[in-house]
Amino acid sequence: MRHILVPLYAIIIFLVLWELLVWVNDWPNYKMASPSDIWPAFWKFKFLFFQYGWDTLWRTVVGLFIAVLCGVFLGMIMGFSKVLREAIYPLLVGFNAIPKATVVPIIALMFVGQHDLNTVLIAFMISFFPIAVSVSIGLSTLEPEYRDILRSLGASKSLIFWKIALPKTLPEFFGALKVAVTLAFIGTNLMEIVSPHGRGLGALFDSGKTNSDYPLMFAVLIALALLGIGLYYVVVVLEKIFAGWAERSTD
Amino acid sequence: MSLNVKKDAIIIKDVTHTYKTETGLLPVIKNLTMNIPENGFTAVVGPSGCGKSTLTKLISGLLQPDKGEVYLSGEKITTPRPTVGMAFQNPVLLEWRSIIKNVMLPLEIVPNKLNLQQKEQRAKQLLSLVGLEGFEEKRPSELSGGMRQRASLCRALVHKPKVLILDEPFGALDAFTREDLWKVMHNLRKEEPFTGILITHDLRESIFLADEVIVLSGRPASKQFFVKVPKSKTPKLDSLYTSKSIDMLKTLRKQIEIAQSQQEQNK
C-alpha cells in the first residue's frame, strides 16, 4: 500500500505547489497554465486525446521494438567479433552524435506524408544506440572462465550463447531499455510536432500552439508524461520477470 | 619414465606450446612430459606465470599443443570432451540459476540418458557430499565463497568425468576455509573416483591432497622436480606438521626458488 500512497502524495503536493505558483504570481495561462486549467482542456478534446495518445503509443512501441531487434543484433555482432566492433563502433558513435532533431526534417521530406513510417523511424533511430552498446559490452566482458566451463564439455557456440551469454547480458539490456523507452518517446514527439496532419499527441500539441490554446499544450505534456510513466513501468515489470535474479535481496 | 598408455589416465608427451603475442613469440611450455595414473592425483606447482594454466587448457582440449601429444585414457586429445570436469579459482556460478541448477548444468550439455528427476538426484547426492544439503534452491549470491567453491566442485563432478582439472580452486579462500575444502576433496576422492590434476601455489595444499607433486621450471615450463607423497587412508591436517612433511615442504620450497630465479634470468 505504501508503494502506491507515497508516490501519490508526492504527485498531489507537486500539483498543489504548481497551482500556488501560478496563483501567487498571477500568471496568465499563456505564460503558464495551472493544473486547474488543464482538466477542462483535456475534457474538451478527450476523444482526440485517446485517439492521438494511441497513435503516439503504438508508434513509440513499434519504433522501440525495431530498435531492440536491431540493437541486439548489432550488439551481438560487436560483442562476438573484435574486428567488426572496431569497424562499426565509430560509425555508431557518429550516427548517435547527430542530434535527431536535425534528422527529423530530412526524414519528413524523404517520406513525405507517410506519418506513421516517419515517426516510427525516428523513434527507432534515437533509441537503438544504448541497446546496441549495452549488449555488445555485456557480451564482450563475459569472463573467459564462463565460456571455458561449457567449452571444455564440448558445447557449441550457440549453446554457450543461449545458456550463458544471453542471460548474463539481460540486466545490462534492461538498463539500456529503460533509457531507450524515454528516448523513443522523444523521437516520436519530435516527428509528430513537425507533421501537423500526422496525428499523435505531438500534432495535438502543435495545434494548441497554432490556436493559442495554451492549456491544451500543457494538457498534452501531462498526457505524454503519463504515457511515459506507463511504458517505463512495463519495462520494469519485464525486467523483474526476466532479470530479477540480478537484484540482490536487501535482507 | 615409462608411459603406459593403458594404465595412465593422463599422458602429456613432449608437449611444447608457444603463444603469439604482439611483441613476438612467447614460449610457455617446452618439452613437458608427465603422466598421471588412473585415479591418481597430481599437484603441479611452479612460479607465477610459468604456464600452469596453459597446461590445464591443453589437457582439457581447449588448446592444441604446437608440438607433442596429450592423451586421456589412451585417446589423443584434439578437441574438448565431456569426460573432463573443470573448476577454477573463480567458481563461475551462474547467478540466474539456483545452486542445484548450477550443478546440473553439465548434464544439459554432455549426452546422457538421465531424466530430470535422476539429474536432480545426482546433483543432490553430490551437494550433500560436500556439505551443501539444504542449499539446493539458494542463489549463488546467498552463499559464502567457500560454499560457492563447494558447489563449483559438484558441478565439475556431476557428469562423472574421468579427469578432474582443478586450476587453483582454493586460491581465493581464507586459510581455514581452504583447509575445510581440502577435507572435502579427500571425501570426494573416496566417494567419486577420478583422476585429478591440481594447479596450486600452496605447497601445503599440494602435499596434503596429491599423491605426487610436480614442480615446473620457470617459463618456458618443463618438469624440473617431482616427489611422491605417501598417503594414509585418513589424512589429517596434523600430518602437515610432522618432520617428514616439513622436510618435504622445504625441498619443494627450494625447488620453487630455483624455478623462480631461472624464470627471472629468461626474461
Side-chain angles (χ1 to χ4, degrees), chain B residues 144-203:
Chain B
S144 69
M147 288 161 115
R148 281 207 283 270
Q149 203 51 265
R150 283 168 205 246
S152 162
L153 288 173
C154 291
R155 182 182 56 192
L157 286 169
V158 73
H159 55 298
K160 302 201 171 174
K162 287 192 178 132
V163 170
L164 181 66
I165 302 172
L166 302 170
D167 191 351
E168 286 194 62
F170 316 125
L173 304 175
D174 68 78
F176 294 134
T177 309
R178 200 179 300 176
E179 290 176 353
D180 280 343
L181 275 145
W182 294 349
K183 288 181 223 155
V184 167
M185 275 312 296
H186 273 300
N187 208 10
L188 281 173
R189 243 190 113 183
K190 210 159 52 189
E191 306 289 329
E192 299 272 330
F194 54 82
T195 307
I197 177 163
L198 167 74
I199 308 287
T200 180
H201 277 117
D202 186 335
L203 298 179

Side-chain angles (χ1 to χ4, degrees), chain A residues 150-153 163 167 245, chain B residues 80-81 96 108-109 155 159:
Chain A
L150 291 200
R151 249 182 11 117
S152 66
L153 296 168
K163 293 264 181 213
W245 53 267
Chain B
R81 53 199 52 226
W96 55 93
E108 294 166 24
I109 290 151
R155 182 182 56 192
H159 55 298

